[in-house]
Amino acid sequence: MSAVPLRNDKAVASGVRIVSVLGATGSIGDSTMDLLRAAPERYQVEALTANNNVQGLATLAKEFGARFAAVADESLLGELRDALAGTGIACGAGESAIIEAAERPADWIMAAISGAAGLKPALAAVDRGTTIALANKECLVCAGDFFMARALNAGANILPADSEHNALFQALSSGNRHELTKVIITASGGPFRTWAAADIEQATLAQALKHPNWSMGQKITIDSASMMNKGLEVIEASYLFALSPDEIDVLVHPQSIIHGMVEFSDRSVVAQLGAPDMRIPIAHCLGWPDRIVGRAATLDLAKIGQLTFEAPDFVRFPGLRLAYDALRTGQGATTVYNAANEIAVAAFIAQQIRFGAIARLVEDTLNAWIRAGNLAPLSSADDAIAVDHNARKMAATLLPQIAAKAS
């Protein structure tokens, strides 16, 4: 069973929807606030959060009349209070305040806090049994088993806000779960899709950040270049839709127009198409179970002209292979995969390792973790956070030798 509301399992949407946005000043938050801005008669904002962008958060809180605003950095509480002085908007800082924002009464919550820091707030929202638009991969990559079980137990609806998983969510409504053969997640291939392995190895930060289709944050753009991001999406799809690794395929589609497909037992393949604009999947989640007027451009297939497809290359992009390995291993291995990748990407940004060493650090960390006998089922947020923390330490310990090999 799944907490993702599939076919014939829809709530009735009516009246004004009370919403909260966790991670309101990030790229997903920007797209969400843009959609809310376009329909003020439909939505009332309860709570907004940010990591450390106090002025951006305060501006949004005042614009939307939020009842509560919270910043993750405790040291910024005074600055946030000053920015909201005289508005009547309550505010807080630190992890407890972010969790409070998730616990406040809202019909719909956007969970867009990046990294493992988003896990506890998302779980707090889940425990309320509300509808959560999930844009935080780490909630599932780090804690997928118990996250989805907890959502099911609480009666929470998990709506995937990533473009690929939202595409699968929409396509899955065309059939029943037992009729599904496989799902297909598309990938743009990133900026290095046609590059030789030797050139990928030496790629610079500036080159990695030149995504051909999407405008995203620095970390996710680098993950797209390495296809680690697609690996994270494979793991996420497995937990979201209760799929085995063998039921998930990846297909490189450079135009990023088809975002996901589902093949059914009769060999029908249902695809979701749309311009490469995050406002499309977010609008689907925001309006669900209805559809709202979107803000993205209309899809003009005649202008695009052609859609092309390629098989993924697991040799040039080993990060994708490692994701399948971690998913099959289970028992916290996907948490280690994500944690090691975050350390590796940070090291690449800091020019401590070459681009090609990102996947090597992840693989070495996974192997060392397994050899040390650390695999164990995860049953709580604290378990997942502990594995995340310890895997980061292990990756940081292995980093110097990875860097030395590449020099």
Side-chain angles (χ1 to χ4, degrees):
M1 296 182 70
S2 171
V4 177
L6 299 180
R7 192 177 184 184
N8 297 325
D9 184 18
K10 292 186 175 182
V12 177
S14 62
V16 175
R17 180 169 288 183
I18 300 172
V19 305
S20 292
V21 182
L22 311 181
T25 61
S27 60
I28 298 296
D30 284 344
S31 294
T32 305
M33 304 314 292
D34 184 56
L35 289 162
L36 295 176
R37 189 175 286 116
E41 73 287 353
R42 291 180 61 111
Y43 304 104
Q44 176 181 312
V45 175
E46 175 66 26
L48 300 173
T49 79
N51 182 32
N52 54 22
N53 185 352
V54 170
Q55 295 306 317
L57 177 64
T59 297
L60 288 173
K62 288 184 282 190
E63 177 187 354
F64 287 90
R67 294 194 174 107
F68 182 75
V71 63
D73 188 336
E74 289 184 348
S75 69
L76 298 175
L77 178 58
E79 185 180 341
L80 181 59
R81 280 177 175 160
D82 290 344
L84 294 174
T87 64
I89 300 171
C91 62
E95 181 182 73
S96 62
I98 302 297
I99 291 173
E100 180 185 346
E103 292 174 334
R104 291 178 73 94
D107 306 311
W108 185 95
I109 296 175
M110 169 55 79
I113 298 173
S114 62
L119 178 56
K120 285 188 176 181
L123 282 170
V126 160
D127 289 342
R128 288 193 51 249
T130 191
T131 296
I132 298 126
L134 189 62
N136 175 300
K137 289 182 175 63
E138 288 77 12
C139 288
L140 297 172
V141 174
C142 298
D145 279 336
F146 75 83
F147 185 92
M148 294 306 291
R150 197 149 146 183
L152 188 64
N153 185 61
N157 287 318
I158 305 298
L159 307 180
D162 280 346
S163 59
E164 294 82 2
H165 301 93
N166 185 265
L168 298 181
F169 176 40
Q170 295 193 50
L172 281 164
S173 67
S174 295
N176 294 303
R177 175 62 180 88
H178 71 274
E179 298 164 339
L180 178 147
T181 302
K182 65 180 177 181
V183 304
I184 303 162
I185 299 173
T186 59
S188 70
F192 307 142
R193 179 178 63 86
T194 62
W195 286 33
D199 295 329
I200 294 173
E201 171 72 26
Q202 303 292 340
T204 67
L205 177 59
Q207 290 168 330
L209 292 174
K210 288 183 179 178
H211 195 282
N213 299 334
W214 296 95
S215 175
M216 305 176 290
Q218 191 175 57
K219 163 67 165 54
I220 193 171
T221 304
I222 293 170
D223 283 347
S224 179
S226 68
M227 291 196 74
M228 284 285 186
N229 189 50
K230 208 52 53 178
L232 293 169
E233 289 172 6
V234 167
I235 295 167
E236 187 179 5
S238 175
Y239 291 126
L240 263 176
F241 304 113
L243 300 169
S244 72
D246 293 334
E247 292 176 309
I248 308 169
D249 281 353
V250 172
L251 184 65
V252 176
H253 168 49
Q255 294 81 18
S256 294
I257 296 301
I258 297 176
H259 303 291
M261 297 177 272
V262 176
E263 180 186 273
F264 292 101
S265 54
D266 62 1
R267 297 302 182 254
S268 292
V269 177
V270 179
Q272 186 270 340
L273 288 72
D277 188 324
M278 282 305 300
R279 290 176 297 181
I280 294 176
I282 295 170
H284 181 259
C285 292
L286 192 57
W288 183 88
D290 301 325
R291 290 186 183 267
I292 63 175
V293 176
R295 302 271 282 175
T298 299
L299 182 62
D300 187 343
L301 288 174
K303 183 177 180 180
I304 293 166
Q306 63 178 351
L307 304 179
T308 60
F309 307 94
E310 305 163 11
D313 190 329
F314 291 89
V315 175
R316 289 185 302 129
F317 299 98
L320 185 56
R321 169 183 58 81
L322 292 171
Y324 278 98
D325 291 345
L327 189 54
R328 291 188 172 98
T329 300
Q331 302 189 85
T334 59
T335 312
V336 177
Y337 173 89
N338 177 72
N341 180 57
E342 292 206 0
I343 294 298
V345 170
F348 171 65
I349 292 171
Q351 299 184 343
Q352 295 174 305
I353 59 172
R354 293 177 180 174
F355 183 82
I358 292 174
R360 289 195 291 277
L361 180 58
V362 173
E363 185 164 25
D364 284 4
T365 305
L366 276 167
N367 290 338
W369 188 267
I370 294 168
R371 285 197 304 270
N374 290 321
L375 294 175
L378 307 181
S379 58
S380 70
D382 287 337
D383 283 350
I385 290 170
V387 170
D388 177 83
H389 174 75
N390 291 328
R392 287 170 190 269
K393 288 175 61 178
M394 180 174 283
T397 299
L398 293 170
L399 180 60
Q401 67 190 59
I402 293 290
K405 287 179 183 177
S407 61

